Amino acid sequence: MIIAIDGPAAAGKGTLSRRVAQEYGFHHLDTGLTYRATAKALIDAGLPLDDEALAEGVAREIELADLDREILSAHAIGEAASKIAVMPLVRRALVEAQRAFSVRAPGTVLDGRDIGTVVCPDAPVKLYVTASAEVRARRRFDEITGNGIPADFLEILADIVKRDERDMGRADSPLRPAPDAHLLDTSEMSIEAAFWAAKTIIDAALKH
Ligand code: DC
């Protein structure tokens, strides 16, 4: 049983995916962390972010068990991840690891940009979680300032718009909903409401 959850940056996929995985007792993989870990390993080694063969080599060394969300959550790492994510060889390496994870028993939840379209096109349940760029920027702004760190709303909004363009505009595996994905627009929803909407969709799919 595979649950595929895709959507743009800061749409609330991560929180929703963890909650869904917990509800069903499934393993969860935030595939964004695999791109982030590859980017961070390159940066830490002082290597360039535009050498595809080098980045592929690093991607093949990524251990899923070692992915640390706290460490990888830095904004700069997300930006770098979005840049190496346009490279087909990097994607191929990481998608192989993600597919191997996806078949774990009793089931898995994978979240990212291309799970329903490329990584697990046969997943029986696909959700595409989105929200307007303004709402996503507002949530990120509240999260950052809630931690006592000053932030600039317009700068965050511009970053989100730029990231969307890069993720949706790349040639290999662009972000888009799979034709059979259920769309979940959380612009006007709390996390709790989004969870219950997702649960209704998943339970209906599990019955089939
Ligand atoms: O979801 P995130 O912010 O952790 O993702 C960081 C970057 O990784 C994102 O901008 C694009 C890339 N990514 C991807 O291309 N495919 C995925 N399945 C997940 C993330």
Side-chain angles (χ1 to χ4, degrees):
M1 178 65 190
I2 301 172
I3 301 175
I5 303 185
D6 289 304
K13 304 185 297 289
T15 313
L16 180 67
S17 303
R18 283 192 292 280
R19 187 80 203 273
V20 166
Q22 193 181 21
E23 172 76 11
Y24 295 92
F26 288 178
H27 304 281
H28 170 234
L29 178 63
D30 172 351
T31 61
L33 294 183
T34 64
Y35 292 90
R36 284 171 181 263
T38 304
K40 183 172 188 297
L42 284 164
I43 294 169
D44 287 353
L47 297 170
L49 289 171
D50 59 359
D51 183 326
E52 184 161 358
L54 206 62
E56 182 203 7
V58 170
R60 293 207 176 272
E61 298 297 313
I62 296 300
E63 292 284 347
L64 299 189
D66 295 342
L67 299 173
D68 185 325
R69 199 160 69 89
E70 287 288 307
I71 293 173
L72 296 172
S73 68
H75 179 70
I77 297 178
E79 280 295 302
S82 169
K83 285 178 191 152
I84 57 137
V86 304
M87 298 171 170
L89 294 180
V90 170
R91 302 201 68 84
R92 201 186 304 164
L94 296 178
V95 166
E96 276 174 26
Q98 294 161 12
R99 284 195 182 130
F101 179 93
S102 73
V103 295
R104 289 191 192 178
T108 52
V109 179
L110 280 81
D111 75 281
R113 303 289 191 288
D114 60 341
I115 310 303
T117 51
V118 175
V119 181
C120 303
D122 297 327
V125 189
K126 299 179 185 177
L127 299 177
Y128 189 85
V129 183
T130 187
S132 70
E134 288 72 18
V135 166
R136 288 184 280 134
R138 170 62 56 190
R139 286 181 188 155
R140 184 142 289 175
F141 175 84
D142 289 346
E143 188 185 312
I144 297 169
T145 53
N147 288 329
I149 301 163
D152 180 335
F153 175 77
L154 289 178
E155 208 173 288
I156 293 174
L157 178 60
D159 269 349
I160 283 188
V161 170
K162 197 170 64 185
R163 179 85 71 87
D164 283 357
E165 281 169 6
R166 202 181 289 141
D167 292 348
M168 293 174 184
R170 66 174 176 239
D172 188 345
S173 318
L175 168 65
R176 60 181 169 78
D180 53 345
H182 296 269
L183 300 186
L184 201 58
D185 187 330
T186 67
S187 299
E188 312 271 322
M189 268 184 211
S190 63
I191 276 293
E192 195 58 23
F195 168 71
W196 285 103
K199 183 166 163 52
T200 304
I201 294 166
I202 296 164
D203 287 344
L206 287 174
K207 278 203 200 107
H208 287 292

